[in-house]
Amino acid sequence: MIQDIAPHTYDPAFRIQEPSDRDYVLHYEYNKVMLLKEREGYVIPTFEDLKEEEDLKPKARYLFSIDDRAYFCVTDMKMPEFGGYVMEGLPIFRTFEPLHQAFAGITGSQIYRWWQSRRYCGHCGGKMEHGEKERSLVCSKCGQTEYPKISPAVIVAIKNGDKLLMSRYAKGAYRNYALIAGFVEIGETFEDCVRREVMEEVGLKVKNIRYYKSQPWAFSDTEMIGFTADLDGDDRIRLEEDELSEAGWFTRDEVVEYGNFISVGHELMKAFKDGTI
Ligand SMILES: [Zn+2]
């Protein structure tokens, strides 16, 4: 999965730190990221790469580290006109290499999006400022504190003997088969959320709900919590047509391998195909 970057180590601890020349610059504009073209592909530029530009270091804000290299976000800068810089859409990180930098790029974008969407206090309209002791934004007028936007969502592999339930979404760009998933409501446990989403989307009951793995999914500011479950009773699917265009039971042989297992949903589908769940 995208966060499985071993032997590299991700360190998200909050820090106030000055950049060094070998640290990385993440510059985002809306849903694009600045990359540097190098040979066949792209790399994330360092402060060294950008040394010809106006001094970026005073404007840089520490994000996190991977191993001994820090990543900084520089919001207020212009992309250099020369030298091979490009603004690319964030989906590039679905296939970007090396994987630990794909993870850095997409994770940084989630922090950037949170900053951009919380520039003013939702309570009093005051200007938000960066917290000094933790990753937070604090209102300069009323003191309201905002923490990073992370929305929990469940995803579940529902088994019926040797068959797996898969579905296709009715809307959106993603057209491949997927597992049942949905956002956790206020006041709901993850297990209750699994039961509710499965009932709403395909009209089925489930039992033996077991935690599988979780996954930060920065593309949608989500933390996916993966589960397995068994069908409980009637296997007749009643589709919620607003959300799904089709759903059905598939044998292990019928489960399609999509090749790139960066999501917990794909890993669950592969685990079912391989007979490990
Ligand atoms: Zn306020």
Side-chain angles (χ1 to χ4, degrees):
M1 293 190 279
I2 193 165
Q3 76 276 18
D4 295 330
I5 60 170
H8 302 284
T9 308
Y10 170 60
D11 176 9
F14 177 80
R15 242 175 256 152
I16 298 212
Q17 185 174 313
E18 301 290 314
S20 75
D21 286 346
R22 61 198 290 274
D23 290 336
Y24 292 101
V25 177
L26 284 166
H27 169 64
Y28 303 97
E29 286 176 21
Y30 301 102
N31 54 3
K32 292 191 168 173
V33 61
M34 182 180 75
L35 297 172
L36 179 55
K37 206 156 180 25
E38 202 179 79
R39 277 172 250 120
E40 299 296 285
Y42 297 105
V43 297
I44 297 174
T46 62
F47 285 92
E48 173 73 23
D49 292 326
L50 288 155
K51 66 175 185 285
E52 302 297 318
E53 300 306 302
E54 53 171 323
D55 191 8
L56 298 177
K57 287 182 182 170
K59 298 195 230 169
R61 188 164 291 279
Y62 177 81
L63 293 171
F64 47 74
S65 296
I66 293 179
D67 305 330
D68 63 345
R69 306 289 289 276
Y71 290 77
F72 285 79
C73 187
V74 182
T75 306
D76 178 23
M77 69 171 284
K78 272 189 127 169
M79 187 182 77
E81 239 174 282
F82 303 103
Y85 291 91
V86 289
M87 295 302 296
E88 282 287 324
L90 294 174
I92 194 170
F93 290 124
R94 285 175 179 266
T95 52
F96 193 85
E97 287 184 340
L99 180 65
H100 71 281
Q101 290 218 311
F103 178 68
I106 198 62
T107 303
S109 81
Q110 184 171 355
I111 301 174
Y112 163 79
R113 248 190 326 278
W114 168 57
W115 289 345
Q116 291 300 101
S117 65
R118 300 288 188 282
R119 287 185 291 165
Y120 299 97
C121 174
H123 183 66
C124 79
K127 209 163 185 314
M128 299 299 272
E129 289 172 354
H130 289 273
E132 288 171 6
K133 296 206 170 68
E134 57 184 354
R135 185 167 289 123
S136 63
L137 293 166
V138 183
C139 175
S140 55
K141 274 169 82 180
C142 77
Q144 167 158 275
T145 303
E146 292 269 3
Y147 293 100
K149 182 187 169 191
I150 308 170
S151 305
V154 301
I155 186 160
V156 56
I158 306 162
K159 295 180 290 175
N160 177 14
D162 62 351
K163 289 185 175 164
L164 178 71
L165 186 115
M166 293 198 297
S167 60
R168 282 190 213 259
Y169 294 117
K171 298 171 197 146
Y174 190 78
R175 304 307 300 165
N176 291 335
Y177 279 103
L179 302 177
I180 299 296
F183 287 104
V184 178
E185 288 287 350
I186 289 176
E188 193 172 50
T189 65
F190 296 155
E191 291 82 356
D192 287 341
C193 182
V194 167
R195 281 186 278 269
R196 178 180 56 76
E197 285 289 345
V198 173
M199 181 53 75
E200 281 177 8
E201 294 194 5
V202 285
L204 298 172
K205 283 188 176 174
V206 287
K207 61 184 178 183
N208 305 328
I209 299 169
R210 287 201 189 88
Y211 174 71
Y212 175 70
K213 288 178 187 175
S214 63
Q215 175 181 43
W217 193 245
F219 294 99
S220 54
D221 302 334
T222 308
E223 180 84 18
M224 296 299 292
I225 303 109
F227 290 90
T228 61
D230 292 315
L231 174 72
D232 185 9
D234 189 1
D235 68 353
R236 195 160 45 90
I237 293 166
R238 290 184 301 277
L239 206 61
E240 186 183 52
E241 287 171 358
D242 283 352
E243 296 250 341
L244 301 176
S245 65
E246 61 172 296
W249 297 105
F250 296 83
T251 64
R252 292 183 200 278
D253 288 344
E254 289 166 340
V255 174
V256 179
E257 289 204 45
Y258 290 115
N260 192 353
F261 298 110
I262 62 168
S263 76
V264 68
H266 280 162
E267 193 179 287
L268 274 163
M269 283 155 64
K270 180 164 168 43
F272 179 79
K273 191 175 180 68
D274 295 345
T276 57
I277 61 165

